[in-house]
PDB file of all heavy atoms in Angstrom:
ATOM      1  N   ALA A   1      -8.159  11.606   7.692  1.00 36.00           N
ATOM      2  CA  ALA A   1      -7.300  11.734   6.530  1.00 36.00           C
ATOM      3  C   ALA A   1      -7.169  10.427   5.751  1.00 36.00           C
ATOM      4  O   ALA A   1      -6.573  10.387   4.689  1.00 36.00           O
ATOM      5  CB  ALA A   1      -5.878  12.177   6.917  1.00 36.00           C
ATOM      6  N   GLY A   2      -7.775   9.415   6.285  1.00 38.00           N
ATOM      7  CA  GLY A   2      -7.546   8.059   5.801  1.00 38.00           C
ATOM      8  C   GLY A   2      -7.873   7.805   4.361  1.00 38.00           C
ATOM      9  O   GLY A   2      -7.199   7.005   3.691  1.00 38.00           O
ATOM     10  N   LEU A   3      -8.935   8.445   3.840  1.00 38.00           N
ATOM     11  CA  LEU A   3      -9.293   8.159   2.462  1.00 38.00           C
ATOM     12  C   LEU A   3      -8.202   8.541   1.520  1.00 38.00           C
ATOM     13  O   LEU A   3      -7.843   7.791   0.551  1.00 38.00           O
ATOM     14  CB  LEU A   3     -10.583   8.925   2.089  1.00 38.00           C
ATOM     15  CG  LEU A   3     -11.174   8.590   0.743  1.00 38.00           C
ATOM     16  CD1 LEU A   3     -11.522   7.094   0.633  1.00 38.00           C
ATOM     17  CD2 LEU A   3     -12.405   9.414   0.460  1.00 38.00           C
ATOM     18  N   THR A   4      -7.544   9.699   1.768  1.00 34.00           N
ATOM     19  CA  THR A   4      -6.478  10.165   0.937  1.00 34.00           C
ATOM     20  C   THR A   4      -5.297   9.179   1.066  1.00 34.00           C
ATOM     21  O   THR A   4      -4.663   8.801   0.067  1.00 34.00           O
ATOM     22  CB  THR A   4      -5.987  11.544   1.322  1.00 34.00           C
ATOM     23  OG1 THR A   4      -7.069  12.451   1.188  1.00 34.00           O
ATOM     24  CG2 THR A   4      -4.850  12.005   0.435  1.00 34.00           C
ATOM     25  N   VAL A   5      -5.038   8.805   2.312  1.00 33.00           N
ATOM     26  CA  VAL A   5      -3.923   7.886   2.542  1.00 33.00           C
ATOM     27  C   VAL A   5      -4.161   6.534   1.887  1.00 33.00           C
ATOM     28  O   VAL A   5      -3.327   6.007   1.191  1.00 33.00           O
ATOM     29  CB  VAL A   5      -3.684   7.693   4.052  1.00 33.00           C
ATOM     30  CG1 VAL A   5      -2.607   6.681   4.303  1.00 33.00           C
ATOM     31  CG2 VAL A   5      -3.355   9.023   4.709  1.00 33.00           C
ATOM     32  N   LEU A   6      -5.353   6.007   2.141  1.00 39.00           N
ATOM     33  CA  LEU A   6      -5.680   4.704   1.535  1.00 39.00           C
ATOM     34  C   LEU A   6      -5.646   4.748   0.015  1.00 39.00           C
ATOM     35  O   LEU A   6      -5.273   3.763  -0.624  1.00 39.00           O
ATOM     36  CB  LEU A   6      -7.054   4.221   2.035  1.00 39.00           C
ATOM     37  CG  LEU A   6      -7.072   3.836   3.500  1.00 39.00           C
ATOM     38  CD1 LEU A   6      -8.486   3.588   3.908  1.00 39.00           C
ATOM     39  CD2 LEU A   6      -6.265   2.573   3.766  1.00 39.00           C
ATOM     40  N   SER A   7      -6.090   5.876  -0.521  1.00 34.00           N
ATOM     41  CA  SER A   7      -6.037   5.989  -1.989  1.00 34.00           C
ATOM     42  C   SER A   7      -4.582   5.878  -2.462  1.00 34.00           C
ATOM     43  O   SER A   7      -4.324   5.213  -3.479  1.00 34.00           O
ATOM     44  CB  SER A   7      -6.636   7.318  -2.422  1.00 34.00           C
ATOM     45  OG  SER A   7      -8.006   7.376  -2.105  1.00 34.00           O
ATOM     46  N   ALA A   8      -3.676   6.506  -1.755  1.00 31.00           N
ATOM     47  CA  ALA A   8      -2.287   6.477  -2.113  1.00 31.00           C
ATOM     48  C   ALA A   8      -1.683   5.081  -1.927  1.00 31.00           C
ATOM     49  O   ALA A   8      -0.839   4.648  -2.696  1.00 31.00           O
ATOM     50  CB  ALA A   8      -1.477   7.477  -1.314  1.00 31.00           C
ATOM     51  N   VAL A   9      -2.176   4.376  -0.906  1.00 35.00           N
ATOM     52  CA  VAL A   9      -1.604   3.076  -0.556  1.00 35.00           C
ATOM     53  C   VAL A   9      -2.207   1.943  -1.341  1.00 35.00           C
ATOM     54  O   VAL A   9      -1.504   1.063  -1.844  1.00 35.00           O
ATOM     55  CB  VAL A   9      -1.739   2.814   0.950  1.00 35.00           C
ATOM     56  CG1 VAL A   9      -1.191   1.421   1.277  1.00 35.00           C
ATOM     57  CG2 VAL A   9      -1.009   3.862   1.746  1.00 35.00           C
ATOM     58  N   PHE A  10      -3.545   1.991  -1.508  1.00 37.00           N
ATOM     59  CA  PHE A  10      -4.238   0.844  -2.063  1.00 37.00           C
ATOM     60  C   PHE A  10      -4.802   0.960  -3.441  1.00 37.00           C
ATOM     61  O   PHE A  10      -4.983  -0.021  -4.136  1.00 37.00           O
ATOM     62  CB  PHE A  10      -5.426   0.473  -1.145  1.00 37.00           C
ATOM     63  CG  PHE A  10      -5.004  -0.026   0.178  1.00 37.00           C
ATOM     64  CD1 PHE A  10      -5.215   0.715   1.325  1.00 37.00           C
ATOM     65  CD2 PHE A  10      -4.437  -1.264   0.303  1.00 37.00           C
ATOM     66  CE1 PHE A  10      -4.842   0.239   2.547  1.00 37.00           C
ATOM     67  CE2 PHE A  10      -4.066  -1.758   1.543  1.00 37.00           C
ATOM     68  CZ  PHE A  10      -4.261  -0.990   2.666  1.00 37.00           C
ATOM     69  N   MET A  11      -5.190   2.141  -3.873  1.00 33.00           N
ATOM     70  CA  MET A  11      -5.945   2.288  -5.109  1.00 33.00           C
ATOM     71  C   MET A  11      -5.231   1.701  -6.305  1.00 33.00           C
ATOM     72  O   MET A  11      -4.023   1.736  -6.424  1.00 33.00           O
ATOM     73  CB  MET A  11      -6.281   3.742  -5.367  1.00 33.00           C
ATOM     74  CG  MET A  11      -7.380   4.307  -4.453  1.00 33.00           C
ATOM     75  SD  MET A  11      -8.925   3.405  -4.715  1.00 33.00           S
ATOM     76  CE  MET A  11      -9.988   4.356  -3.594  1.00 33.00           C
ATOM     77  N   GLY A  12      -6.008   1.218  -7.258  1.00 33.00           N
ATOM     78  CA  GLY A  12      -5.425   0.630  -8.465  1.00 33.00           C
ATOM     79  C   GLY A  12      -5.160  -0.821  -8.261  1.00 33.00           C
ATOM     80  O   GLY A  12      -6.050  -1.636  -8.308  1.00 33.00           O
ATOM     81  N   SER A  13      -3.909  -1.160  -8.039  1.00 34.00           N
ATOM     82  CA  SER A  13      -3.526  -2.569  -8.028  1.00 34.00           C
ATOM     83  C   SER A  13      -3.347  -3.101  -6.629  1.00 34.00           C
ATOM     84  O   SER A  13      -2.730  -4.178  -6.463  1.00 34.00           O
ATOM     85  CB  SER A  13      -2.204  -2.783  -8.788  1.00 34.00           C
ATOM     86  OG  SER A  13      -1.208  -1.959  -8.202  1.00 34.00           O
ATOM     87  N   PHE A  14      -3.834  -2.416  -5.622  1.00 36.00           N
ATOM     88  CA  PHE A  14      -3.737  -2.920  -4.235  1.00 36.00           C
ATOM     89  C   PHE A  14      -2.304  -3.091  -3.826  1.00 36.00           C
ATOM     90  O   PHE A  14      -1.775  -4.160  -3.714  1.00 36.00           O
ATOM     91  CB  PHE A  14      -4.515  -4.244  -4.127  1.00 36.00           C
ATOM     92  CG  PHE A  14      -4.393  -4.932  -2.781  1.00 36.00           C
ATOM     93  CD1 PHE A  14      -4.595  -4.233  -1.629  1.00 36.00           C
ATOM     94  CD2 PHE A  14      -4.082  -6.256  -2.704  1.00 36.00           C
ATOM     95  CE1 PHE A  14      -4.485  -4.850  -0.417  1.00 36.00           C
ATOM     96  CE2 PHE A  14      -3.958  -6.889  -1.497  1.00 36.00           C
ATOM     97  CZ  PHE A  14      -4.147  -6.222  -0.368  1.00 36.00           C
ATOM     98  N   SER A  15      -1.623  -1.969  -3.554  1.00 34.00           N
ATOM     99  CA  SER A  15      -0.236  -1.968  -3.321  1.00 34.00           C
ATOM    100  C   SER A  15       0.100  -1.757  -1.826  1.00 34.00           C
ATOM    101  O   SER A  15       0.208  -0.674  -1.369  1.00 34.00           O
ATOM    102  CB  SER A  15       0.409  -0.833  -4.120  1.00 34.00           C
ATOM    103  OG  SER A  15       1.698  -0.618  -3.795  1.00 34.00           O
ATOM    104  N   ILE A  16       0.237  -2.898  -1.093  1.00 33.00           N
ATOM    105  CA  ILE A  16       0.633  -2.838   0.281  1.00 33.00           C
ATOM    106  C   ILE A  16       2.113  -2.879   0.393  1.00 33.00           C
ATOM    107  O   ILE A  16       2.744  -3.846  -0.026  1.00 33.00           O
ATOM    108  CB  ILE A  16       0.010  -3.992   1.095  1.00 33.00           C
ATOM    109  CG1 ILE A  16      -1.530  -3.913   1.021  1.00 33.00           C
ATOM    110  CG2 ILE A  16       0.481  -3.976   2.551  1.00 33.00           C
ATOM    111  CD1 ILE A  16      -2.156  -5.097   1.697  1.00 33.00           C
ATOM    112  N   ALA A  17       2.736  -1.877   0.958  1.00 32.00           N
ATOM    113  CA  ALA A  17       4.198  -1.913   1.160  1.00 32.00           C
ATOM    114  C   ALA A  17       4.540  -2.544   2.471  1.00 32.00           C
ATOM    115  O   ALA A  17       4.201  -2.020   3.516  1.00 32.00           O
ATOM    116  CB  ALA A  17       4.720  -0.451   1.103  1.00 32.00           C
ATOM    117  N   ALA A  18       5.203  -3.676   2.430  1.00 31.00           N
ATOM    118  CA  ALA A  18       5.569  -4.391   3.608  1.00 31.00           C
ATOM    119  C   ALA A  18       7.031  -4.294   3.845  1.00 31.00           C
ATOM    120  O   ALA A  18       7.862  -4.532   2.976  1.00 31.00           O
ATOM    121  CB  ALA A  18       5.149  -5.869   3.480  1.00 31.00           C
ATOM    122  N   ALA A  19       7.444  -3.866   5.016  1.00 28.00           N
ATOM    123  CA  ALA A  19       8.849  -3.724   5.358  1.00 28.00           C
ATOM    124  C   ALA A  19       9.511  -5.053   5.645  1.00 28.00           C
ATOM    125  O   ALA A  19       8.859  -5.988   6.118  1.00 28.00           O
ATOM    126  CB  ALA A  19       9.029  -2.811   6.563  1.00 28.00           C
ATOM    127  N   ASP A  20      10.815  -5.122   5.254  1.00 30.00           N
ATOM    128  CA  ASP A  20      11.588  -6.326   5.574  1.00 30.00           C
ATOM    129  C   ASP A  20      10.971  -7.627   5.040  1.00 30.00           C
ATOM    130  O   ASP A  20      10.860  -8.603   5.735  1.00 30.00           O
ATOM    131  CB  ASP A  20      11.835  -6.446   7.059  1.00 30.00           C
ATOM    132  CG  ASP A  20      12.544  -5.266   7.658  1.00 30.00           C
ATOM    133  OD1 ASP A  20      13.476  -4.755   6.967  1.00 30.00           O
ATOM    134  OD2 ASP A  20      12.193  -4.821   8.761  1.00 30.00           O
ATOM    135  N   THR A  21      10.545  -7.602   3.810  1.00 26.00           N
ATOM    136  CA  THR A  21       9.933  -8.779   3.224  1.00 26.00           C
ATOM    137  C   THR A  21      10.923  -9.588   2.399  1.00 26.00           C
ATOM    138  O   THR A  21      10.530 -10.631   1.826  1.00 26.00           O
ATOM    139  CB  THR A  21       8.768  -8.365   2.325  1.00 26.00           C
ATOM    140  OG1 THR A  21       9.236  -7.459   1.320  1.00 26.00           O
ATOM    141  CG2 THR A  21       7.671  -7.735   3.096  1.00 26.00           C
ATOM    142  N   GLY A  22      12.135  -9.131   2.333  1.00 29.00           N
ATOM    143  CA  GLY A  22      13.125  -9.894   1.549  1.00 29.00           C
ATOM    144  C   GLY A  22      13.004  -9.731   0.061  1.00 29.00           C
ATOM    145  O   GLY A  22      13.508 -10.572  -0.717  1.00 29.00           O
ATOM    146  N   ILE A  23      12.292  -8.698  -0.385  1.00 26.00           N
ATOM    147  CA  ILE A  23      12.151  -8.476  -1.845  1.00 26.00           C
ATOM    148  C   ILE A  23      13.477  -8.052  -2.408  1.00 26.00           C
ATOM    149  O   ILE A  23      14.112  -7.104  -1.904  1.00 26.00           O
ATOM    150  CB  ILE A  23      11.072  -7.387  -2.095  1.00 26.00           C
ATOM    151  CG1 ILE A  23       9.711  -7.854  -1.622  1.00 26.00           C
ATOM    152  CG2 ILE A  23      11.045  -7.006  -3.567  1.00 26.00           C
ATOM    153  CD1 ILE A  23       8.639  -6.798  -1.707  1.00 26.00           C
ATOM    154  N   PRO A  24      13.989  -8.713  -3.438  1.00 30.00           N
ATOM    155  CA  PRO A  24      15.302  -8.361  -3.945  1.00 30.00           C
ATOM    156  C   PRO A  24      15.301  -7.054  -4.666  1.00 30.00           C
ATOM    157  O   PRO A  24      14.316  -6.609  -5.261  1.00 30.00           O
ATOM    158  CB  PRO A  24      15.599  -9.524  -4.946  1.00 30.00           C
ATOM    159  CG  PRO A  24      14.254 -10.004  -5.327  1.00 30.00           C
ATOM    160  CD  PRO A  24      13.361  -9.825  -4.144  1.00 30.00           C
TER     161      PRO A  24
END
């Protein structure tokens, strides 16, 4: 299923969601 998942996570502007990163 990874291609679909990776497309949702990475495609376009390379959007890695990192937990607890202190983003305001």
Side-chain angles (χ1 to χ4, degrees):
L3 187 60
T4 301
V5 177
L6 289 170
S7 297
V9 177
F10 292 110
M11 285 299 184
S13 60
F14 175 49
S15 172
I16 300 174
D20 301 319
T21 57
I23 296 174

